[in-house]
Amino acid sequence: MKFRKSAAMAAVSALALTATACGGENSSAGNDAKAPAATESAKTWKYPVAKDAQVEGSPAFKAAKARGKLIIGAKSDQPYLGFEDQATKKRSGFDIEIATMVAADLGFTPDQIQWKSFNSDQRETAIAQGQVDYYVGTYSINSKRKKKVGFAGPYYKAGADLLVRKDEADITGKTSLTGKKVCSIKGSTPLQEIQKPEYGARVVELGNYTDCVKQLLAGRIDAVTTDDSILKGFAAQDPTRLKVVGEPFTTELYGIGVDKQDKALRAAINESLTKHVKDGTYKKIYNSTLGLSGSMYTEPPAVNNY
Ligand code: GLU
């Protein structure tokens, strides 16, 4: 069914697009982009917080209860997904809402969430060292990462794509990258992909996507590659200067990163995801965040025990 505009707008005003940053730190993403317009007038979405939630046998849950705060790792420079407004310190986006929804099922209110920002190359370490209780930030499940961390989910399916300047005519998809300067970020799966000789690209490796986009706008590189979900967010913020081209050329299944040993927490998060896909909360979240950047809604893949 097509989501009608009036319904979408009603959902926007009724839903939470923001979450208050509570002691966020490690904000290394260098985010100076403006917040997505939709988040500016957003009201706080109240997920019902489970009273007396228990996750038997989860060390992370036990520690979070003892400190009275849940520590969640996230991105801070990905509009519509994981974004932190530098002026207000408010967080918004699809991943932030998914993380907040799960937190509510674990018995934590938004005020009891402490957000920490980590870039792509810092995630495994942050999770394995217990710097976060869980991580939600466009984090693809793959076998290399599974050696170090556990994943709940998947809760979304994305695919690598290309962001170019609006007037770009030569780059139309993955087969037109020979000799082109293509930026992606350290520790990301699209960086590994674009380094394959078959693309013939001159790869530029930076620390976060904001920096890649800045280089693109300055004319120093020709394209940015990462998940279509992320690129559409940047294009939606600056539609007169940026566009996404081509078809997604990888499959990225987003998981919620947890400590590898903490199977109880992983199961509890999977339960939360399954429940809210069923009750429609997931779709509402999607339509009021990522859906606003032009991504089409698709039913998320069934959860698994990664
Ligand atoms: N989903 C990809 C990954 O996990 C790219 C997005 C990101 O860097 O977070 O590497």
Side-chain angles (χ1 to χ4, degrees), residues 142-202:
N142 67 26
S143 49
K144 194 172 158 210
R145 291 172 180 168
K146 274 195 289 184
K147 288 188 185 128
K148 296 181 185 160
V149 303
F151 285 102
Y155 63 94
Y156 187 69
K157 183 173 145 198
D161 215 333
L162 298 162
L163 181 75
V164 294
R165 287 180 295 274
K166 193 80 184 216
D167 60 2
E168 172 66 56
D170 292 351
I171 301 177
T172 52
K174 65 171 189 171
T175 55
S176 49
L177 297 174
T178 310
K180 299 291 183 191
K181 275 188 155 177
V182 183
C183 187
S184 200
I185 71 164
K186 293 185 178 78
S188 73
T189 47
L191 174 69
Q192 276 181 296
E193 177 68 22
I194 204 67
Q195 282 168 335
K196 290 182 184 166
E198 69 200 58
Y199 295 104
R202 291 155 67 198

Side-chain angles (χ1 to χ4, degrees), residues 75 78 120 123 137-140 145 185 187-190 209 226-227 230 252 254:
K75 289 289 183 66
Q78 296 179 179
S120 296
R123 297 180 285 203
T138 59
Y139 196 16
S140 298
R145 291 172 180 168
I185 71 164
S188 73
T189 47
Y209 293 112
T226 187
D227 303 341
I230 300 172
E252 310 290 329
Y254 290 175

Side-chain angles (χ1 to χ4, degrees), residues 66-141:
R67 77 170 91 85
K69 291 250 182 230
L70 195 61
I71 305 174
I72 304 180
K75 289 289 183 66
S76 60
D77 74 331
Q78 296 179 179
Y80 301 89
L81 279 158
F83 190 86
E84 182 181 28
D85 185 302
Q86 291 305 293
T88 63
K89 296 292 166 201
K90 287 207 164 145
R91 302 222 176 211
S92 64
F94 181 64
D95 283 337
I96 301 301
E97 291 305 318
I98 293 290
T100 307
M101 175 192 83
V102 169
D105 281 338
L106 297 177
F108 293 85
T109 64
D111 288 349
Q112 293 171 314
I113 297 172
Q114 181 182 344
W115 298 97
K116 287 188 183 179
S117 300
F118 292 98
N119 282 332
S120 296
D121 61 342
Q122 304 170 320
R123 297 180 285 203
E124 283 84 67
T125 306
I127 296 164
Q129 290 183 348
Q131 295 177 49
V132 296
D133 295 320
Y134 55 86
Y135 182 97
V136 191
T138 59
Y139 196 16
S140 298
I141 300 166

Side-chain angles (χ1 to χ4, degrees), residues 3 11 31 46 50 62 79 87 100 104-105 117 122 135 154-155 157 165 215 219 235 253 258 262 265 278 295:
F3 201 74
N31 149 32
K46 300 256 191 300
K62 200 172 161 197
T100 307
D105 281 338
S117 300
Q122 304 170 320
Y135 182 97
Y155 63 94
K157 183 173 145 198
R165 287 180 295 274
Q215 296 288 318
L253 293 179
V258 294
D262 202 335
L265 183 63
K278 234 185 209 165
S295 288

